[in-house]
């Protein structure tokens, strides 16, 4: 079973930048699309971005133009560069396949707080 470990979250001011990283165990890279999700307090987990093994990336309208997803299959890592952060971006961020296969367990996530 593949497991995910997210890191890189923290406190950042509005307009600032932050880069998240996810390390996945197992052998899913080069086969499955990977993505980032987030869950804000009182809300359901939502999809943020997708990066296929090859091809074009996709983003939620709320982050398009500000976030950039990338992957390194050799290292089994997925990154999310977040620029021009807004308070509404505050959430716990998770990585997983897109869509989630129901086989891998959701990781602990990494908390991003955008506040002055």
């Amino acid at each position: 079973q593949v497991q995910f470990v997210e890191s890189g979250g923290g406190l950042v001011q509005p307009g600032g930048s932050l880069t998240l990283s996810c390390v996945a165990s197992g052998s899913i890279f080069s086969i499955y699309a990977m993505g980032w999700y987030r869950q804000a307090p009182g809300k359901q987990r939502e999809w943020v971005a997708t990066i296929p093994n090859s091809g074009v990336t996709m983003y939620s309208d709320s982050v398009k133009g500000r976030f950039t997803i990338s992957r390194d299959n050799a290292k089994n890592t997925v990154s999310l560069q977040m620029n021009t952060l807004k308070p509404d971006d505050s959430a716990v961020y998770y990585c997983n396949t897109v869509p989630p296969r129901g086989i891998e367990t959701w990781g602990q996530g990494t908390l991003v707080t955008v506040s002055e």
Side-chain angles (χ1 to χ4, degrees):
Q1 184 182 28
V2 176
Q3 294 182 331
F4 307 102
V5 180
E6 301 91 347
S7 63
L11 175 64
V12 63
Q13 296 180 355
S17 299
L18 207 59
T19 300
L20 308 182
S21 181
C22 170
V23 180
S25 65
S27 304
I28 62 171
F29 280 70
S30 298
I31 299 176
Y32 298 102
M34 295 295 301
W36 285 92
Y37 306 80
R38 68 186 182 186
Q39 185 171 23
K43 296 184 177 181
Q44 296 289 104
R45 183 185 290 114
E46 65 176 350
W47 167 81
V48 174
T50 297
I51 182 167
N53 59 345
S54 64
V56 67
T57 56
M58 295 183 293
Y59 301 91
S60 169
D61 288 341
S62 62
V63 308
K64 188 177 301 181
R66 301 186 297 116
F67 290 12
T68 302
I69 188 172
S70 61
R71 67 190 293 166
D72 187 335
N73 290 340
K75 298 180 179 179
N76 283 9
T77 59
V78 183
S79 298
L80 185 68
Q81 182 179 343
M82 306 182 295
N83 299 321
T84 320
L85 283 162
K86 306 175 180 179
D88 286 347
D89 295 320
S90 297
V92 178
Y93 284 72
Y94 304 87
C95 65
N96 209 326
T97 57
V98 181
R101 300 194 305 161
I103 300 174
E104 290 76 33
T105 301
W106 292 95
Q108 293 276 70
T110 185
L111 176 63
V112 173
T113 302
V114 184
S115 176
E116 189 65 45

